[in-house]
Amino acid sequence: DMLRPTKILVPTDFSDYSDKALKQALDIAKQYNAAVFLFHVIPKEVNRCVADVCVDDDVIQDIESQMMTKAQEDLHKQLGKFPQAKEVSVTTDVGKGTPYDAILKEADDKGIDLIVIASLGRSGIARFLIGSVSRNVLKGAKCPVLLTK
């Protein structure tokens, strides 16, 4: 029985790698008339203290809401690279926390039936990180995961 996805989750770190994942997801979505959820995770730990100087919670919230706004703008920018995004239902969402946890939670919350994720990230150390994000998503997902190179 061929998998017919209806809701496709694409986690993005705004790298070229996740551009490729998004392109592939959009192609699949077009083929199966599926919806795409483009998702970026803001790491939970915004540093509260540097040396002996600590910042208040409201400052942290301020920084986080700025990061949220920026992430939403970046999601729309990334979508703007793909004309085919206009022919598909696309929802953008920003999460917070440990990337793979947030991705798996988003998949559960949205009833996702296919995750398309880049197997690599930006560069050097980040490449290792997204590698581990992909591995953990692969391990923890309840639905099929398509890894793109």
Side-chain angles (χ1 to χ4, degrees), residues 91-102:
T91 306
T92 58
D93 205 4
V94 181
K96 214 170 67 177
T98 309
Y100 70 88
D101 279 337

Side-chain angles (χ1 to χ4, degrees), residues 18-20 22-23 26 78-86:
S18 49
D19 277 353
K20 286 182 193 158
L22 176 55
K23 182 182 183 310
L26 290 168
Q78 188 174 19
L79 276 175
K81 299 179 189 175
F82 302 98
Q84 65 268 48
K86 294 189 178 57

Side-chain angles (χ1 to χ4, degrees), residues 1-22:
D1 180 34
M2 177 57 194
L3 167 80
R4 299 186 65 86
T6 59
K7 294 180 176 179
I8 304 172
L9 180 64
V10 186
T12 176
D13 65 355
F14 306 121
S15 65
D16 294 346
Y17 298 105
S18 49
D19 277 353
K20 286 182 193 158
L22 176 55

Side-chain angles (χ1 to χ4, degrees), residues 106-127:
E106 179 80 352
D108 276 352
D109 291 351
K110 298 283 195 287
I112 297 296
D113 43 27
L114 176 65
I115 299 171
V116 180
I117 188 171
S119 54
L120 296 171
R122 292 174 205 271
S123 64
I125 182 83
R127 173 172 303 171

Side-chain angles (χ1 to χ4, degrees), residues 60-116:
I60 292 276
Q61 273 170 348
D62 218 35
I63 293 168
E64 281 185 348
S65 74
Q66 281 172 28
M67 287 169 83
M68 287 285 199
T69 308
K70 169 107 173 64
Q72 278 288 4
E73 285 168 10
D74 288 344
L75 287 166
H76 289 288
K77 252 187 227 142
Q78 188 174 19
L79 276 175
K81 299 179 189 175
F82 302 98
Q84 65 268 48
K86 294 189 178 57
E87 302 164 46
V88 172
S89 156
V90 182
T91 306
T92 58
D93 205 4
V94 181
K96 214 170 67 177
T98 309
Y100 70 88
D101 279 337
I103 291 165
L104 294 171
K105 183 181 180 310
E106 179 80 352
D108 276 352
D109 291 351
K110 298 283 195 287
I112 297 296
D113 43 27
L114 176 65
I115 299 171
V116 180

Side-chain angles (χ1 to χ4, degrees), residues 23-36:
K23 182 182 183 310
Q24 197 154 359
L26 290 168
D27 290 344
I28 296 168
K30 221 175 120 172
Q31 194 179 339
Y32 292 105
N33 200 13
V36 170

